[in-house]
Amino acid sequence: MTSPLLEMIDINKTFSGVKALKNASFDVKEGEVHALLGANGAGKSTLMKILSGAYVQDSGDIILHSGKRDYQSPKEAKEHGIH
């Protein structure tokens, strides 16, 4: 079994008391292509903004190439190939 290149594990994000993400998880293995689908307000954009460093998650882990990452800005994410 191939290890994921990217994992987002139990990501949580709240805005002004409103839960935008609750324990969201996502992973991508080499050669895979994914699409995020869901209703308005489901958290798709929030999850990707956390991955890109535009938002910081309240809790949860981002693991890229087997290393834990906590992106504080889009610039920092881009330095690791996320943009």
Side-chain angles (χ1 to χ4, degrees):
M1 183 177 269
T2 306
S3 297
L5 294 175
L6 167 71
E7 293 179 271
M8 299 180 79
I9 304 166
D10 295 331
I11 304 293
N12 291 285
K13 182 67 179 173
T14 303
F15 295 101
S16 302
V18 176
K19 241 212 219 255
L21 292 173
K22 182 179 177 184
N23 298 324
S25 294
F26 177 72
D27 67 59
V28 178
K29 294 178 182 152
E30 186 174 350
E32 291 184 335
V33 176
H34 290 264
L36 291 179
L37 304 172
N40 289 344
K44 304 173 298 289
S45 295
T46 301
L47 188 64
M48 292 299 100
K49 286 180 180 181
I50 289 170
L51 178 60
S52 71
Y55 296 160
V56 176
Q57 72 268 30
D58 297 335
S59 62
D61 295 314
I62 298 171
I63 301 171
L64 179 65
H65 300 294
S66 300
K68 186 176 176 188
R69 311 285 185 220
D70 287 311
Y71 301 126
Q72 302 297 310
S73 71
K75 180 181 181 224
E76 186 178 344
K78 191 172 184 177
E79 289 169 357
H80 288 100
I82 304 292
H83 50 96

